[in-house]
């Protein structure tokens, strides 16, 4: 699909390249040489979402626990059975480099996943393994296929389930989803148009929480709009009150990412949607597709990424511009360099 600007076409190519990136990433050499009880995936923003996806998708099915870390301190439970994976597409993320050094100081086994920058240079100097993100430069948020493929391979080699085979088997179906989603009468265009004039609030079932966060982030960065995310059924114990009574509620639109695998959660979601509609709140629903939880999560990512692109197109927005992030990083560096 062609758009009016180079920026929109560039982002469209990056988003459409997801499946190819994932397929190539699965062939990566991980340098993992033994099994671990824990895998801690550290990153910020787009570089963190791969870890969150596996933390959610493997919660019920893996003997290896996966933790997505966005802090700047190590928890007490880390030990010699913890593999630390530092993820930064640019290799310039201050928080990730800081945590990389902490992990080394704690004596953990460390692997870096990066396209270059200071993190790669530091890893080469120290001698810690690097799994490179290959290919042309892209927006870090568009490297999600690389992060899912590489992290899936790392977790499998660290003692997790056979993620490589699972991902390879779903590649043909993912290409089919891609064609469906990109259709002008497909779900992504429909939701993008429905969201016109509303602030999106993306909700996920418990196993779709990371996907709700991913879509919210893509709406922030690609569409340049305010968006929020949350999770159901936690929603029904607090946020529901605001949606029920707040006179401004119709200025917002919930986008609910569903997974019908969990029957009880599906019943709760139906009751939640019925309540929102009874209060005249417009709702968009994404019914995920796939033969496994991981596949349904990836389907949700693909839909959300395209929605963010199409909203940018509808608004005439440059989806590749990241001036606000550059600005805040500059301000953070100034604060960090001030004397105590």
């Amino acid at each position: 699909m062609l758009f009016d600007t180079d920026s929109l076409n560039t982002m469209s190519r990056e988003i459409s390249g997801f499946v190819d990136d994932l397929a190539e990433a699965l062939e990566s050499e991980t340098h993992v040489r033994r099994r671990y009880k824990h895998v801690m995936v550290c990153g910020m923003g787009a570089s963190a979402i791969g870890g969150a996806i596996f933390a959610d998708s493997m919660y019920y099915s893996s003997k290896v626990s996966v933790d997505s870390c966005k802090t700047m301190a190590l928890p007490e439970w880390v030990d010699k059975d913890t593999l630390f994976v530092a993820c930064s597409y640019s290799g310039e993320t201050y928080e990730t480099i800081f945590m990389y050094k902490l992990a080394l100081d704690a004596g953990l086994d460390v692997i870096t996943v990066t396209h270059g920058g200071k993190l790669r240079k530091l890893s080469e100097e120290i001698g810690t393994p690097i799994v490179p993100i290959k290919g042309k430069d892209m927006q870090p948020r568009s490297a999600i296929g690389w992060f899912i493929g590489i992290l899936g391979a790392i977790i499998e080699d660290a003692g997790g389930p056979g993620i490589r085979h699972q991902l390879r088997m779903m590649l043909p179906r993912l290409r089919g989803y891609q064609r469906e989603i990109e259709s002008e009468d497909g779900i992504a265009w429909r939701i993008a148009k429905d969201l016109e004039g509303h602030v999106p609030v993306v909700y996920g079932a418990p196993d779709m929480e990371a996907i709700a966060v991913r879509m919210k982030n893509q709406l922030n960065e690609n569409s340049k709009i305010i968006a929020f995310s949350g999770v159901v059924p936690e929603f029904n114990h607090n946020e529901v009150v605001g949606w029920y009574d707040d006179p401004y509620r119709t200025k917002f639109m919930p986008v609910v990412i569903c997974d019908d695998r969990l029957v009880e959660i599906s019943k709760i979601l139906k009751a939640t949607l019925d309540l929102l509609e009874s209060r005249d709140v417009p709702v968009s629903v994404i019914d995920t597709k796939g033969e496994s939880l991981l596949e349904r999560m990836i389907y949700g990512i693909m839909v959300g990424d395209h929605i963010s692109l199409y909203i940018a197109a509808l608004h005439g927005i440059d989806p590749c511009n990241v001036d606000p992030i550059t600005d805040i990083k500059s301000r953070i560096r100034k604060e960090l360099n001030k004397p105590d």
Side-chain angles (χ1 to χ4, degrees):
M1 182 178 298
L2 288 176
F3 294 95
D4 294 334
T5 67
D6 290 342
S7 178
L8 284 165
N9 286 319
T10 296
M11 183 55 67
S12 178
R13 286 192 297 272
E14 291 183 3
I15 289 174
S16 297
F18 167 82
V19 182
D20 290 337
D21 293 343
L22 173 59
E24 188 172 354
L26 288 171
E27 306 306 317
S28 300
E29 166 58 52
T30 67
H31 308 288
V32 177
R33 298 292 180 256
R34 71 176 185 89
R35 293 174 177 268
Y36 298 84
K37 290 183 179 178
H38 315 287
V39 177
M40 173 176 279
V41 182
C42 177
M44 301 296 290
S47 298
I49 200 67
I53 288 165
F54 285 111
D56 284 357
S57 67
M58 296 173 59
Y59 184 78
Y60 302 102
S61 61
S62 176
K63 293 181 179 179
V64 176
S65 66
V66 180
D67 182 73
S68 178
C69 170
K70 297 183 182 181
T71 64
M72 292 183 69
L74 291 170
E76 287 294 326
W77 57 259
V78 299
D79 55 23
K80 301 298 182 182
D81 276 322
T82 302
L83 174 63
F84 185 92
V85 186
C87 295
S88 171
Y89 179 83
S90 68
E92 301 292 335
T93 308
Y94 173 83
E95 295 90 343
T96 305
I97 294 171
F98 183 90
M99 287 293 289
Y100 168 85
K101 294 175 181 177
L102 281 187
L104 287 176
D105 290 343
L108 302 182
D109 289 344
V110 176
I111 292 174
T112 58
V113 180
T114 184
H115 189 59
K118 292 178 182 177
L119 184 60
R120 179 161 188 162
K121 184 178 180 181
L122 194 60
S123 299
E124 290 171 342
E125 291 173 352
I126 295 172
T128 53
I130 303 166
V131 185
I133 296 174
K134 302 174 184 176
K136 297 178 180 179
D137 290 349
M138 65 177 74
Q139 294 292 328
R141 56 192 177 276
S142 299
I144 182 66
W146 282 100
F147 280 115
I148 291 176
I150 290 172
L151 289 173
I154 288 173
I155 293 166
E156 177 179 334
D157 290 349
I163 301 170
R164 284 189 188 88
H165 177 72
Q166 184 181 350
L167 286 168
R168 285 177 181 137
M169 292 300 292
M170 71 174 71
L171 289 173
R173 294 190 295 275
L174 296 182
R175 296 189 193 281
Y177 301 151
Q178 182 83 27
R179 291 189 291 271
E180 291 176 17
I181 294 166
E182 289 181 344
S183 169
E184 291 191 25
D185 59 356
I187 185 173
W189 268 115
R190 176 177 60 77
I191 293 179
K193 292 172 182 176
D194 288 347
L195 284 170
E196 192 73 21
H198 296 91
V199 176
V201 188
V202 189
Y203 290 104
D207 51 8
M208 292 288 161
E209 185 173 6
I211 309 309
V213 172
R214 165 68 179 185
M215 181 174 170
K216 187 273 295 183
N217 291 349
Q218 290 292 82
L219 292 169
N220 295 152
E221 292 195 67
N222 286 341
S223 312
K224 309 296 187 278
I225 59 176
I226 294 173
F228 304 93
S229 66
V231 63
V232 178
E234 175 67 21
F235 166 97
N236 296 312
H237 298 269
N238 34 64
E239 292 178 55
V240 65
V241 179
W243 288 106
Y244 200 90
D245 288 328
D246 194 319
Y248 294 103
R249 64 187 179 275
T250 56
K251 297 184 181 296
F252 297 78
M253 178 179 284
V255 179
V256 182
I257 305 173
C258 297
D259 176 13
D260 61 9
R261 183 182 62 92
L262 299 174
V263 176
E264 294 302 316
I265 296 296
S266 294
K267 292 177 181 179
I268 292 172
L269 279 169
K270 184 180 184 306
T272 302
L273 294 172
D274 288 346
L275 180 141
L276 290 169
E277 291 172 358
S278 76
R279 302 303 294 169
D280 298 321
V281 176
V283 182
S284 283
V285 176
I286 299 173
D287 290 313
T288 54
K289 299 180 181 182
E291 297 182 6
S292 65
L293 172 56
L294 181 57
E295 185 174 334
R296 291 190 291 274
M297 294 177 81
I298 291 174
Y299 176 86
I301 289 171
M302 296 171 73
V303 172
D305 285 7
H306 282 84
I307 290 171
S308 71
L309 171 67
Y310 298 156
I311 290 176
L314 289 169
H315 292 179
I317 294 294
D318 174 0
C320 296
N321 181 283
V322 289
D323 287 347
I325 294 175
T326 303
D327 184 14
I328 189 60
K329 286 184 176 179
S330 174
R331 293 170 185 267
I332 289 171
R333 281 195 298 270
K334 289 179 182 177
E335 286 297 322
L336 291 171
N337 289 330
K338 286 182 179 179
D340 294 333

